Amino acid sequence: MAKSSRENGPRAPAAGGSLSGTRESLAQGPDAATADELSSVGSDSEANGFAERRIDKFGFIVGSQGAEGALEEVPLEVLRQRESKWLDMLNNWDKWMAKKHKKIRLRCQKGIPPSLRGRAWQYLSGGKVKLQQNPGKFDELDMSPGDPKWLDVIERDLHRQFPFHEMFVSRGGHGQQDLFRVLKAYTLYRPEEGYCQAQAPIAAVLLMHMPAEQAFWCLVQVCEKYLPGYYSEKLEAIQLDGEILFSLLQKVSPVAHKHLSRQKIDPLLYMTEWFMCAFARTLPWSSVLRVWDMFFCEGVKIIFRVGLVLLKHALGSPEKLKACQGQYETIEQLRSLSPKIMQEAFLVQEVIELPVTERQIEREHLIQLRRWQETRGELECRSPPRMHGAKAILDAEPGPRPALQPSPSIRLPPDATLLTSKAKPPKQVQKEQRRTKASGQLDKSPGPNQATVVTASGDACPPQDVPPKDPVPQDSAPQDLAFHHSQESLTSQESEDTYL
């Protein structure tokens, strides 16, 4: 799917001419006749008089090409349990990625709950970290006018992206506006790459699950980390991966590999749309979502596995090859795949069990790169190395960590006084006060067991009995106080060491 700024189809003339690069210009619809032709049905369909159309749980119009029939329904109780587990993972993401990444991979293979899929994709792809590292960047790009060369092409492609989904059915609807904003922002973010038509379905799928700003940063991660070089001008990366796919096919299905070799069918003829759109335009929608769940977690090896499974089951037996006598018949066989091999449960299980690893892909990549350099010279596009999944991306670009705040082990009431080594404990102060009072009363006592109490008016009251007290030697008191003080300090220090 090559980059192009040529005419790709009929274009609806805008009321005020071509797009100026702002989303408001999208809302300016064409004339009435063209509006009836382009305006379809869906969430924006109430304004178009199509409110009676039924929408499936994915947002597609029931009965349209994108809608599906009978689906595998997850029991509600199981779904709630999965949601609870995913909420715990997302709220403690760094801990889970560091210590329990295999568990995350298993849960992605089972399928992310629909209510948390958009949030999970952001965490898995590193789009959330990118957003935190670049606050306000998308708004800045969104307010910029953009390059007219790319704006014209983007505008023509908008109505082709999932035209039977409720978000993208009508011109000027919120879905097409956000899609225009995301694609335009990427042309400004990476002006050396510009816009490639295969980016539109990727961005559209992301917008079905998250707002425009988050979708933009996830698109950046897909283009730069998962599939680097796929959307460059020469499409060199996709050509290399086509050769890698064909080489891996020899080990997975020798029958299919031999047939394609005999027919001299270049891999680009059947795998370009598969890989560049991540099967968003090939598989049933439930299968697309399950593949994307695993893709964001494990990386491009999932795309290779899906392609190998489709080739194996479409061309991997002599019976199936009877209808593929020539190039044309073989290509048609791959374009109209059997619904059975694309069915969600069957396809996902086959993908999980297929033994194709990152190491094998990288080994084949080096082999094919060496052959490329021997026959064609050096690559013109120097794309960064791709990351094989969420773990590799997180290790390469760790998210910002909050500064550690001191948290005391022992919490005191607000009115409490913090004891120091020089301060005397309250109990010690009370004992000293009682001893001082007792000493004074003994000096003024009329008898050994009596004391005279003077009232506020100055009258003397009858003597009252006072319990006898042992006299405290003055020279021994400082030693006792010092000893008691040292014991208190030691106990406080031991307690502090124990908590810390």
Side-chain angles (χ1 to χ4, degrees):
M1 190 172 298
K3 275 175 182 282
S4 173
S5 60
R6 63 180 183 275
E7 287 291 335
N8 293 319
R11 176 188 176 195
S18 60
L19 287 179
S20 62
T22 59
R23 49 181 163 168
E24 287 79 5
S25 57
L26 272 176
Q28 299 174 1
D31 54 34
T34 313
D36 291 341
E37 178 184 353
L38 290 181
S39 297
S40 185
V41 292
S43 65
D44 297 310
S45 58
E46 293 187 7
N48 299 328
F50 293 100
E52 70 278 3
R53 294 294 185 108
R54 291 187 299 117
I55 305 297
D56 68 7
K57 67 177 185 178
F58 300 120
F60 290 95
I61 302 165
V62 175
S64 66
Q65 185 178 1
E68 300 184 27
L71 297 170
E72 257 186 60
E73 293 293 340
V74 179
L76 186 60
E77 183 179 353
V78 176
L79 186 61
R80 291 293 175 262
Q81 291 176 356
R82 290 182 180 178
E83 287 177 342
S84 176
K85 293 176 181 178
W86 270 95
L87 281 172
D88 176 60
M89 289 196 306
L90 294 174
N91 292 332
N92 303 278
W93 187 250
D94 290 341
K95 181 187 75 174
W96 277 85
M97 286 295 292
K99 299 180 179 181
K100 300 181 180 180
H101 175 255
K102 291 183 178 179
K103 193 68 175 179
I104 295 178
R105 184 183 64 193
L106 291 175
R107 290 179 178 175
C108 287
Q109 291 174 355
K110 292 181 180 179
I112 302 174
S115 60
L116 298 171
R117 179 167 276 127
R119 184 179 171 191
W121 286 357
Q122 295 175 51
Y123 278 77
L124 289 165
S125 67
K128 182 175 178 61
V129 174
K130 277 284 189 182
L131 176 59
Q132 293 173 346
Q133 294 174 345
N134 299 273
K137 182 65 175 180
F138 175 76
D139 293 332
E140 175 188 339
L141 298 172
D142 189 26
M143 298 302 295
S144 302
D147 189 340
K149 175 182 66 174
W150 299 121
L151 299 181
D152 185 63
V153 184
I154 293 172
E155 181 192 0
R156 292 199 301 267
D157 284 346
L158 292 177
H159 71 279
R160 298 192 181 97
Q161 312 310 321
F162 306 105
F164 294 103
H165 191 277
E166 60 177 347
M167 281 187 65
F168 305 105
V169 293
S170 60
R171 178 173 175 85
H174 67 93
Q176 289 196 12
Q177 290 185 32
D178 286 345
L179 182 58
F180 180 83
R181 296 168 59 202
V182 170
L183 296 175
K184 184 199 75 172
Y186 189 83
T187 63
L188 295 171
Y189 185 73
R190 287 287 180 261
E192 67 278 6
E193 288 189 14
Y195 167 68
C196 178
Q197 290 176 333
Q199 292 172 317
I202 298 288
V205 176
L206 294 172
L207 283 170
M208 295 178 192
H209 296 86
M210 62 192 75
E213 185 173 19
Q214 286 81 350
F216 168 75
W217 289 114
C218 285
L219 176 66
V220 169
Q221 292 297 91
V222 170
C223 297
E224 295 184 353
K225 300 296 189 299
Y226 289 88
L227 307 173
Y230 268 36
Y231 310 103
S232 61
E233 185 176 2
K234 301 295 183 181
L235 302 179
E236 293 173 328
I238 194 69
Q239 295 181 55
L240 274 176
D241 279 358
E243 298 300 329
I244 295 172
L245 177 70
F246 192 61
S247 179
L248 294 173
L249 182 63
Q250 187 173 10
K251 303 173 184 178
V252 174
S253 178
V255 174
H257 181 272
K258 183 178 180 180
H259 176 76
L260 292 172
S261 299
R262 189 188 306 118
Q263 298 292 338
K264 298 181 180 179
I265 299 177
D266 193 287
L268 290 177
L269 295 177
Y270 54 82
M271 58 82 62
T272 304
E273 186 176 77
W274 290 359
F275 278 51
M276 295 186 73
C277 299
F279 294 96
R281 285 180 164 176
T282 305
L283 302 175
W285 200 249
S286 59
S287 300
V288 170
L289 298 179
R290 294 291 300 277
V291 167
W292 278 47
D293 291 344
M294 296 185 290
F295 167 64
F296 276 120
C297 181
E298 302 181 55
V300 76
K301 76 176 180 184
I302 297 298
I303 304 298
F304 277 98
R305 287 183 182 182
V306 175
L308 292 169
V309 168
L310 296 181
L311 290 170
K312 173 185 175 181
H313 289 280
L315 305 172
S317 65
E319 293 78 13
K320 294 175 181 176
L321 293 179
K322 290 180 181 178
C324 305
Q325 300 299 321
Q327 286 189 355
Y328 177 79
E329 291 81 6
T330 303
I331 295 297
E332 285 300 312
Q333 178 85 347
L334 295 176
R335 287 179 178 173
S336 55
L337 295 166
S338 169
K340 179 183 177 181
I341 65 177
M342 296 189 295
Q343 195 266 339
E344 174 187 351
F346 175 83
L347 179 64
V348 170
Q349 192 61 34
E350 289 285 319
V351 168
I352 293 173
E353 294 177 355
L354 193 67
V356 174
T357 64
E358 296 96 337
R359 184 174 298 179
Q360 289 176 300
I361 294 174
E362 288 304 316
R363 186 187 302 119
E364 286 295 333
H365 177 81
L366 293 176
I367 294 173
Q368 298 302 328
L369 181 61
R370 192 179 304 114
R371 290 179 181 174
W372 179 289
Q373 292 171 344
E374 292 173 355
T375 57
R376 309 188 194 184
E378 294 293 332
L379 294 173
E380 295 184 20
C381 177
R382 296 289 182 177
S383 56
R386 64 176 150 212
M387 304 291 180
H388 288 276
K391 180 66 173 174
I393 293 175
L394 182 63
D395 292 342
E397 293 184 351
R401 298 183 182 274
L404 293 177
Q405 299 294 334
S407 178
S409 302
I410 304 175
R411 298 185 181 276
L412 301 175
D415 55 345
T417 304
L418 186 63
L419 297 179
T420 61
S421 59
K422 296 183 180 180
K424 295 182 178 181
K427 291 184 179 180
Q428 183 177 345
V429 175
Q430 292 176 4
K431 288 181 180 179
E432 290 182 1
Q433 291 176 352
R434 281 198 296 267
R435 288 171 182 169
T436 304
K437 289 181 181 180
S439 300
Q441 290 173 356
L442 286 174
D443 294 340
K444 299 180 182 180
S445 174
N449 295 326
Q450 289 184 335
T452 303
V453 179
V454 180
T455 62
S457 61
D459 300 330
C461 294
Q464 297 181 0
D465 292 338
V466 177
K469 292 183 178 288
D470 296 333
V472 180
Q474 292 184 359
D475 48 342
S476 64
Q479 297 177 1
D480 294 341
L481 290 176
F483 176 77
H484 183 73
H485 177 69
S486 64
Q487 288 284 71
E488 288 286 335
S489 301
L490 179 61
T491 305
S492 175
Q493 184 65 32
E494 289 177 350
S495 174
E496 184 176 355
D497 292 342
T498 301
Y499 279 91
L500 294 179

